[in-house]
Amino acid sequence: MASVPSLASSVDQRVADALASALPEAGAADPMLRRSDRADFQANGILALAKKAKANPRELATSVVESIPTGGDTDVIKEIEVSGPGFLNITVSDKAIIETLAARAADDRLGVPLAADPGTTVIDYAQPNVAKEMHVGHLRSAVIGAAMVEILEFTGEKVIRRHHIGDWGTQFGMLIQYLLEHPHELDHKSEQEVSGEEAMSNLNRLYKASRALFDSDEEFKTRARARVVDLQAGDPETLALWQRFVDESKIYFYSVFNKLDMDIQDPDVVGESGYNDMLVETCELLEKSGVAVRSNGALCVFFDDVKGQDGNPTPLIVQKSDGGFGYAATDLSAIRNRVGELGATTLIYVVDARQSLHFKMVFETARRAGWLNEDTKAVQLAFGTVLGKDGKPFKTREGETVRLVDLLDEAVERATTVVREKDENRGLLTEQEIVENGLQVGIGAVKYADLSTSAARDYKFDLDQMVSLTGDTSVYLQYAYARIRSILRNAGDRSPVAHPELELAPAERALGLHLDGFGALIEEAASEYAPHKVAAYLYQLASLFTTFYTECPVVKPEPELVVGENRLFLCELTARTLGKGMALLGIRTPEKL
Ligand code: ARG
């Protein structure tokens, strides 16, 4: 494992050093280096610096330029010139590009550095609710959360996954009481495992039947309410029945996660019930410290800046006046557990933006109570709403929430058609490969559509667009990957070899410089919790590759041996970078497509 400094960082360092010696009184100076159209990079930092030191920016820029050696065989910078009022235009040498890329290629991690000071992040994502169908909101949390897990782990962060499933609450009184009175309702007919679909339909049936009884039969209602008390008191028989609901739901959850090609491990599923034993103590601690106060019998935390429409403060209710604990008490207890027991330095919650007020209040409460301090960060990675083609929250024609499984099945079906049609006059794939690719393309399409816009924004669920072969889609990226793999397979006796002595064409330089930016991109996506930046990077990579492949013959018409080898080297590094980036997003890249 050898981390490779990017050309941007080497250039930045050189310019910063030159600036520091030209203007020692300014101290450490940021050259503000950016990729540029005019040259490879532009540094804009001199203007501000000159202003601060009351120096002439052009003169300062000129003296910086004069002190930087260029054009020599070992110089990274080939050319540097002053432009405009004091910008620097910088071009790096072709040799430096290929040498750096060769160092990346020689490393399993593609030269991407590990974080200097990694911590422990507990990430709360993929948290469906027991006895309920999963919908597109659960898709977003799962997909964004899984990508963040991969990105953070790749930087060396210790990541602990927590699937905070909704497995506790008053609704279970009704369900458990019903099951108690109809004991065979969840018996499985055969020894064979039930499918996720069957499990969900069992739960739906039970839910409907118990609801109907609850609404029509006062005596059942009374028994159901008493059952909630038994559940909270930990009555063994009640708990055993509750467990059956959880188990049945897990069969369903795992089947959906499996369809999503996501690996969810049982020990990481710690639902709301997992914090039940802490709730009383959490409330006591809050009350004793004065963070929470009794108001009309309820235990509340107040905030100056959280008010309802009537102007009265809206408190966070930790314990209701009837003694019941809600969502907030559980989340506060979970923070104590995650920081105190699991050693988290960062807490991430991948949850719908509509719960932002809840998390704001929960985090603030935890800070007041001292459960979060300067060394612990808590963030909600809030995501927007999934919209239908009409721009309204995604619903079926009947106005019901769309079942996630139906969407996934449809995506796979459409993707399979796309793959099949594309292969029709090539005959490259077997039927089995078409089916497998259809799965990977369909699920990839759904994930990519979710990950390619910034999480906070709403997006339209449009399957036609998602499986389109052109534009910013995963299919486009998957085809780019497969095409490169096929180029490499068909390269005959030529192999990918880096040749730093060659002069590069503009499309090769553009591709090379972008490849070199992979490490900085990962760092940015990890520290900003922004998987969409990985998606944008990959899309640009595929586009740059397309231009390169059009302008620079790799195999035919056959270029000179070394040129061909060097281009194959660029192809190979592009494929590896694409493959790695897609893997971080949880998207597969078939070798043949
Ligand atoms: N189960 C909740 C829902 O479906 C999301 C849970 C979010 N996580 C948390 N720690 N509150 O909306």
Side-chain angles (χ1 to χ4, degrees):
M1 282 198 293
S3 109
V4 180
S6 68
L7 287 172
S9 68
S10 312
V11 170
D12 190 88
Q13 191 58 52
R14 256 154 243 240
V15 178
D17 291 348
L19 261 172
S21 46
L23 201 66
E25 60 274 25
D30 180 5
M32 291 176 50
L33 197 74
R34 303 275 174 277
R35 285 279 280 123
S36 148
D37 291 339
R38 306 228 184 135
D40 294 334
F41 300 102
Q42 188 170 70
N44 298 342
I46 292 185
L47 289 183
L49 205 68
K51 202 170 165 201
K52 227 172 79 190
K54 302 210 169 27
N56 175 319
R58 263 198 86 93
E59 270 169 26
L60 180 59
T62 309
S63 69
V64 166
V65 163
E66 277 164 3
S67 71
I68 293 179
T70 55
D73 198 45
T74 55
D75 294 329
V76 167
I77 297 176
K78 182 176 164 206
E79 246 177 76
I80 179 166
E81 54 178 37
V82 181
S83 95
F87 302 135
L88 299 179
N89 285 338
I90 303 163
T91 306
V92 294
S93 75
D94 293 351
K95 178 164 176 263
I97 295 178
I98 295 299
E99 272 174 355
T100 307
L101 296 184
R104 292 197 178 283
D107 180 35
D108 273 354
R109 297 177 44 84
L110 297 162
V112 177
L114 289 162
D117 187 16
T120 300
T121 293
V122 173
I123 175 163
D124 185 312
Y125 73 105
Q127 328 95 328
N129 299 318
V130 164
K132 294 218 182 100
E133 198 80 61
M134 286 174 75
H135 55 74
V136 280
H138 298 122
L139 169 78
R140 293 215 73 185
S141 176
V143 168
I144 297 168
M148 265 334 298
V149 168
E150 294 301 322
I151 294 169
L152 288 170
E153 280 187 339
F154 189 43
T155 68
E157 180 82 1
K158 178 177 171 195
V159 180
I160 301 175
R161 303 150 168 82
R162 279 294 174 264
H163 308 293
H164 195 86
I165 60 170
D167 62 356
W168 205 242
T170 46
Q171 74 277 21
F172 287 100
M174 179 182 93
L175 286 166
I176 293 168
Q177 189 60 30
Y178 187 86
L179 189 58
L180 192 80
E181 295 174 15
H182 305 80
H184 300 299
E185 282 284 350
L186 271 188
D187 285 351
H188 297 146
K189 305 269 174 307
S190 68
E191 286 297 291
Q192 263 191 345
E193 260 181 64
V194 249
S195 71
E197 283 285 298
E198 278 171 78
M200 193 62 237
S201 91
N202 290 341
L203 290 166
N204 269 335
R205 194 186 62 244
L206 274 178
Y207 191 87
K208 282 200 186 118
S210 61
R211 182 87 233 175
L213 207 54
F214 189 85
D215 290 339
S216 64
D217 181 339
E218 280 305 316
E219 281 171 20
F220 178 74
K221 199 182 241 175
T222 312
R223 293 197 296 277
R225 291 206 167 127
R227 192 53 62 188
V228 179
V229 179
D230 294 340
L231 178 66
Q232 277 167 351
D235 167 57
E237 188 192 18
T238 308
L239 276 179
L241 288 167
W242 165 82
Q243 189 65 51
R244 294 188 62 192
F245 281 102
V246 175
D247 291 344
E248 191 83 1
S249 285
K250 280 190 178 172
I251 295 173
Y252 164 71
F253 296 158
Y254 287 133
S255 78
V256 180
F257 289 133
N258 194 30
K259 208 170 257 206
L260 268 171
D261 192 15
M262 271 180 60
D263 186 25
I264 302 281
Q265 299 287 329
D266 214 37
D268 300 331
V269 180
V270 182
E272 295 176 15
S273 66
Y275 306 96
N276 194 43
D277 291 347
M278 299 175 74
L279 302 178
V280 171
E281 195 184 35
T282 296
C283 289
E284 276 171 11
L285 290 169
L286 289 173
E287 196 169 2
K288 268 196 208 126
S289 60
V291 172
V293 291
R294 290 282 162 189
S295 169
N296 298 325
L299 188 63
C300 300
V301 184
F302 288 93
F303 308 88
D304 289 341
D305 57 345
V306 187
K307 294 202 172 71
Q309 275 170 347
D310 54 5
N312 290 327
T314 310
L316 181 73
I317 299 177
V318 190
Q319 189 182 19
K320 288 181 274 183
S321 52
D322 66 4
F325 303 101
Y327 197 49
T330 306
D331 265 326
L332 287 164
S333 303
I335 291 182
R336 291 175 56 212
N337 167 263
R338 291 169 188 184
V339 177
E341 310 286 321
L342 303 179
T345 47
T346 303
L347 302 175
I348 304 181
Y349 295 80
V350 190
V351 183
D352 195 309
R354 287 170 282 198
Q355 294 188 33
S356 292
L357 183 60
H358 165 77
F359 283 105
K360 177 185 146 89
M361 297 198 286
V362 164
F363 296 163
E364 175 60 27
T365 302
R367 292 211 175 277
R368 290 185 195 169
W371 301 327
L372 289 173
N373 57 29
E374 315 80 63
D375 304 325
T376 41
K377 180 157 120 190
V379 276
Q380 182 192 2
L381 205 177
F383 53 79
T385 306
V386 180
L387 308 172
K389 275 191 190 172
D390 56 1
K392 302 210 184 93
F394 201 24
K395 293 271 153 64
T396 63
R397 242 173 285 156
E398 294 74 35
E400 283 167 27
T401 28
V402 186
R403 282 163 25 108
L404 180 53
V405 262
D406 293 343
L407 283 181
L408 298 179
D409 289 345
E410 196 180 339
V412 169
E413 197 180 302
R414 299 248 198 135
T416 310
T417 309
V418 170
V419 172
R420 193 185 302 282
E421 278 170 6
K422 171 109 181 167
D423 195 55
E424 218 131 71
N425 36 32
R426 295 182 313 177
L428 190 71
L429 305 173
T430 64
E431 179 56 27
Q432 196 193 344
E433 284 170 332
I434 290 177
V435 171
E436 269 166 27
N437 286 351
L439 276 170
Q440 302 189 358
V441 169
I443 296 302
V446 171
K447 289 184 178 176
Y448 189 84
D450 201 307
L451 291 167
S452 55
T453 34
S454 91
R457 288 176 50 187
D458 299 346
Y459 76 93
K460 280 189 191 166
F461 199 95
D462 179 351
L463 277 177
D464 294 325
Q465 189 273 328
M466 286 181 197
V467 297
S468 154
L469 293 169
T470 53
D472 188 6
T473 61
S474 61
V475 201
Y476 172 69
L477 298 178
Q478 286 167 320
Y479 270 106
Y481 178 86
R483 183 157 80 182
I484 305 174
R485 298 298 300 163
S486 129
I487 296 167
L488 290 164
R489 275 195 305 272
N490 298 326
D493 47 12
R494 289 192 173 191
S495 35
V497 183
H499 287 286
E501 72 280 9
L502 293 177
E503 206 174 295
L504 299 178
E508 290 173 304
R509 304 188 93 252
L511 177 64
L513 284 168
H514 192 66
L515 283 168
D516 186 46
F518 189 55
L521 171 271
I522 295 297
E523 228 179 296
E524 195 176 320
S527 64
E528 295 175 16
Y529 309 125
H532 72 280
K533 294 205 167 171
V534 177
Y537 173 91
L538 296 176
Y539 178 56
Q540 208 190 340
L541 179 59
S543 312
L544 288 168
F545 178 80
T546 306
T547 312
F548 154 81
Y549 194 61
T550 319
E551 290 177 11
C552 306
V554 177
V555 184
K556 274 185 231 163
E558 198 163 300
E560 205 189 314
L561 178 67
V562 281
V563 173
E565 286 181 340
N566 197 54
R567 288 181 181 163
L568 278 174
F569 163 75
L570 285 172
C571 286
E572 187 174 55
L573 189 60
T574 303
R576 280 176 61 197
T577 308
L578 258 179
K580 180 68 198 175
M582 292 289 265
L584 293 177
L585 298 182
I587 302 173
R588 302 227 182 220
T589 38
E591 293 294 302
K592 272 164 90 198
L593 192 60

